[in-house]
Amino acid sequence: MGTELLAPLDLAFWHLESDAHPMHLGALAVFSPDPGQAPGPEALLELLGSRAAAIPRLRMRVRDVLLPVGGAAWSVDKEFDVHRHVKRVQLPGTELPEGDEGAFMAAATRLAGELMEQPLRRGLPPWQMYVINGAADGPFAVLVKLHHALADGMRAVAIGAGIFDEIASVAGRGRTGATAGRARPVPPRSWMPGPRQVAGLALGRIEDLGRAFGVGASLVRASRLDLRGAPSLSASSSGTRRLATADLDLEAVQRIRRAVGGTANDVLLAVVAGALRRWMLERGEPLPAADPRALVPVSRRRPGGAATGNRLSAYLLGLPVSEADPWERLRAVRGAMDRNKSAGPLRGAGAVAVLADQLPSLAHRFGAPLAGNAARMLFDVLVTSVPLPRSALSLGGCPLRALYPMAPLARGQSLAVALTTYGGKVQVGLVADGKALPDLERLGRCAEDEVTELLALLPAP
């Protein structure tokens, strides 16, 4: 198996990381086994390990290369040992009253926060999975951590889905005996163009530089010299992590969307804005003079495109927390997103990832710390949606009950919000700086309350 150069954006994520700012994505998957039917803890760990080991991308590690200067490449870890990456954690029995699923979720989420704040070990394939066990025959969870350099949200789902029964059974068809579980070769990315490619590459590079100049100018215009926003969202980073979850009724979200138009994502962004407003008022925090800005990632991946790396742009969106009327908040979000979509994902200050794609490797290696510190000049909170397969999923015959995606925090950021849809629910994963937002669970409840209020304000049919 050959090597594959990290794309510029992947390289940026790799160098943006520090001990206090790990750059991994995550997901907390919760399973509800039938009593007596679930595999035991050790059997479950073995099943998870065997499936993870059969995913070729999870056998790859990052190593430096001589050319291009400052670059890095993916290469097969010849000493790959899945047991370094898949571990089991037993929650203390004192935290888990028998049959209390709420207590299990609270304990599992608290533990997941502690695990999410730990950087992935460099020199090994950059991922980790944890089986989190509670009471016997009770629910269990799997926490997945994947470095952002490995994949964006969509590809993280594609990689992580290989652990589920339904995907693993399809992937394993036709692979028997010695070929079962063997990593398939990853074709190397060509970085030495032939003579016929030079002219085309030169023209493409000129177009890239023109796009980068436009995005850079938009970044300068959008950057804020006055960083006084919501105190909780602009607090100094402590390096700690706290997680919280929320479950929103998907049918309620769709009813709201049908009543006002737009997209379900517009509704969810308005719910985030309303939840932030409620949460700030409940904790006695003054509303900010300027509405906080959200960075909303947009996939640039083409259907059937390469399954690896990051292909992202983003929109910038002012979250109208100063607006008291829930319907007006929703209208403001819809109008702003319509304007973003009209401009397109390759224009505007939110397309910072496009700019990163145009920079040389050496710039990422030495400029990443500066770029990381500048993130808070552009946005206050990350809000991202992650698609999941629509079919029911299971692990070892145990049905998946919920999956809460977790996004990384940039430097100077205290909150990231990730949403996905599964089983008739919109499941919300909240990641926060543990010291800046110690009451993160309250924000999750505020999101649920916001949907309830919007639903109650719908006109009678």
Side-chain angles (χ1 to χ4, degrees), residues 150-161:
L150 188 64
D152 54 27
M154 291 184 67
R155 288 305 156 191
V157 169
I159 292 171

Side-chain angles (χ1 to χ4, degrees), residues 198-209:
V198 171
L201 285 173
L203 180 60
R205 189 60 182 164
I206 292 172
E207 294 174 348
D208 289 345
L209 290 173

